């Protein structure tokens, strides 16, 4: 809010004041006011730069910059103006006349303004004021009329209709060759509580306070007042004390050169001429005099005094300029510091944004990789859990150290002997190995050709669907291995609990589907579908790996993906599983 008010004020200053020195002066006096909080001095200083009607809006623009506790006093000290037009009617044939004087006109470069009022006259009674601008007379605009034309227009009708608006200033120009100046009405006349034309309250000229003072003089037994009076010039009318005799009665009561006499014994001196003023002052031996202290001091200065005032003003101006330079330098330093701080914050914000973006991208990559891995795992195995770490290289399960030798001996027997295992052996084998035998009449040649299975130990496993299957494949018909091979059996999974499959076994079929010519993806998908389909068991046909290192089957020049986790089956004795050992 404060920044908005300051911006609007600066905009009005740029719009209404063209002189850069006057702009600087205006800002300087505002800065000095905020240091001293002396409101009358501020208003007096402002009037030196707000010195024509078009600049009067600056008073309203400055008001929000004044502390709230001073704003009422500020309103009383600053001139009142009105944008609204007021219409009044005056009788030109009235015995006291219109009761006003006007000045201005086109030849003076100004409008027509009321400069004097007759106390309790016709114009005073209808509410006209000194400082009112006459806009229309009898319905006609006078903006392009010279002074004489305005006077002639007033004389054309018995009833004069005036439209006015209050400005609070009057033009001061004795001839067309002089520059136009403006003076505030309250430097000469203001309304008292009794509606008498006098200067009541406070005014300010150049920052010096002007006070109304009332003194009482009794001239009985004296030689006189001991003062001289003079009439003021056209631009500053009035009766002023031009000399005070030292030791006189006037000097004793504090009258000084330059005081303006505004009233004597109830007689208004603001519009009185010199002769009338002298007559009133000599008419009584007891005088009550109201003066404005120092209101016309500059009219009676000697050349030395004028030079001293000018020198003092120059010193004040230099001091203001110095304060301005210091303020500008301080503002410059502050702005540089603010700019550096702003730049630092921007860099920190940019780095934080970049780090956030990098972190976001990394997280997206990780999430994408995890999603892909989970999707592939579910497609392969139908599992939602993350894969467990593969078990350490293991051999097929045995119940005792002697079991491998017993099973190995049976595996070396003929097929007829293998098929003639007693029911007791089968039951023992089921209990010890934890897998379900396939149907007794399984014939591998019904699923595979002789070329595919001759000389290989083809077996069928029935694995119960409990938990996850948890085994991994590698290879495929299109790989260097040329077949689907079980690369890992994960600990705790259904395959591990069954115990009938180990790394290195070839996967040949799942639930009756031939996988001899299947790729790795096809084999994984087939296993996943079989595991996730109905039923409590899955039927897997494998070719038992020979009792040798699994790596021996991989061609030396073959390039196998390093990401595949394979477990090598090394030199374990062949473990019997239900099926046929086929001879070439």
């Amino acid at each position: 809010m404060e920044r908005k008010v300051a911006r609007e004020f600066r905009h009005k200053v740029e719009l209404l004041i063209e002189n850069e020195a006057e702009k600087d002066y205006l800002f300087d006096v505002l800065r000095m006011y905020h240091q001293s909080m002396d409101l009358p001095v501020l208003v007096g200083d402002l009037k030196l730069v707000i010195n024509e009607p078009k600049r009067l809006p600056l008073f309203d623009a400055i008001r929000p910059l004044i502390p709230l506790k001073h704003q009422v006093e500020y309103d009383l000290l600053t001139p009142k103006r009105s944008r609204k037009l007021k219409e009044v009617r005056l009788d030109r044939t009235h015995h006291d006349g219109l009761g006003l004087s006007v000045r201005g006109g086109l030849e003076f470069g100004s409008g027509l303004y009321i400069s004097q009022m007759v106390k309790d006259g016709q114009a005073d009674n209808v509410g006209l004021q000194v400082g009112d601008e006459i806009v229309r007379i009898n319905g006609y605009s006078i903006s392009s009329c010279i002074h004489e034309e305005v006077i002639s227009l007033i004389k054309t009708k018995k009833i004069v209709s005036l439209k006015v608006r209050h400005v609070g200033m009057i033009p001061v120009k004795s001839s067309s060759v002089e520059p136009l100046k403006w003076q505030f009405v309250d430097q000469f006349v203001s309304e008292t509580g009794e509606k008498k034309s006098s200067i009541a309250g406070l005014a300010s000229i150049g920052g010096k306070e002007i006070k109304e003072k009332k003194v009482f003089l009794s001239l009985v037994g004296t030689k006189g007042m001991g003062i001289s009076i003079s009439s003021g010039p056209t631009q500053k009318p009035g009766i002023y004390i031009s000399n005070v005799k030292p030791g006189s009665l006037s000097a004793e009561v504090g009258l000084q050169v330059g005081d303006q006499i505004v009233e004597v014994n109830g007689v208004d001196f603001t519009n009185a001429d010199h002769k009338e003023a002298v007559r009133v002052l000599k008419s009584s031996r007891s005088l009550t005099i109201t003066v404005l202290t120092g209101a016309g001091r500059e009219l009676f200065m000697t050349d030395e005094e004028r030079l001293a005032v000018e020198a003092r003003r120059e010193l004040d101006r230099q001091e203001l300029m110095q304060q301005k330079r210091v303020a500008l330098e301080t503002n410059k330093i502050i702005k540089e510091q603010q700019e550096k701080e702003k730049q630092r914050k921007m860099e920190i914000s940019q780095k934080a944004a970049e780090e956030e973006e990098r972190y976001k991208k990394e997280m997206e990559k990780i999430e994408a990789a995890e999603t892909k891995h989970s999707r592939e795992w579910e497609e392969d195995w139908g599992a939602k859990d993350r894969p467990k770490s593969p078990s350490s290289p293991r051999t097929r399960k045995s119940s005792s150290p002697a079991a491998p030798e017993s099973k190995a001996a049976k595996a070396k027997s003929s097929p007829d002997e293998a098929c003639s295992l007693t029911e007791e052996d089968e039951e023992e084998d089921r209990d010890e190995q934890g897998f379900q035998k396939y149907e007794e009449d399984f014939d591998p040649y019904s699923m595979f050709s002789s070329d595919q299975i001759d000389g290989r130990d083809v077996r069928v496993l029935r694995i119960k669907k409990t938990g996850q299957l948890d085994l991994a494949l590698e290879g495929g018909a299109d790989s260097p291995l040329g077949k689907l091979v079980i690369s890992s059996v994960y600990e705790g999974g259904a395959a591990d609990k069954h115990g009938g499959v180990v790394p290195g076994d070839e996967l040949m079929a799942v639930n009756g589907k031939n996988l001899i010519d299947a790729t790795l993806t096809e084999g994984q998908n087939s296993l996943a579908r079989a595991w996730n389909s109905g039923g409590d068991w899955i039927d897997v046909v494998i070719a038992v790996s020979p009792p040798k290192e699994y790596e021996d089957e991989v061609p030396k020049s073959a390039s196998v993906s390093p990401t595949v986790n394979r477990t090598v089956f090394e030199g374990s004795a062949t473990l019997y599983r239900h099926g046929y050992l086929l001879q070439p």
Side-chain angles (χ1 to χ4, degrees), residues 359-376:
Y359 174 77
K360 184 178 179 182
K361 289 181 178 179
E362 289 293 331
M363 291 303 297
E364 287 175 353
K365 288 181 181 179
I366 293 172
E367 290 175 359
E370 289 181 348
T371 302
K372 180 180 178 183
H373 177 70
S374 298
R375 185 173 62 252
E376 290 177 350

Side-chain angles (χ1 to χ4, degrees), residues 47 79 114-115 129-132 166-170 182-191 198-199:
K47 287 180 179 178
I114 298 176
S115 57
Q129 305 176 61
V130 174
D132 285 350
H166 188 66
V167 176
M169 301 183 78
I170 55 176
W182 295 84
Q183 290 185 341
F184 288 96
V185 171
D186 61 1
Q187 292 176 354
F188 301 98
V189 179
S190 65
E191 293 295 321
S198 66
I199 306 181

Side-chain angles (χ1 to χ4, degrees), residues 436-455:
Q436 177 68 33
K437 294 182 179 179
Y438 199 67
E439 297 180 6
E440 296 292 339
D441 56 353
F442 169 69
D443 182 6
Y445 289 99
S446 64
M447 297 183 62
F448 311 104
S449 66
S450 300
D451 295 338
Q452 292 174 336
I453 62 175
D454 283 348

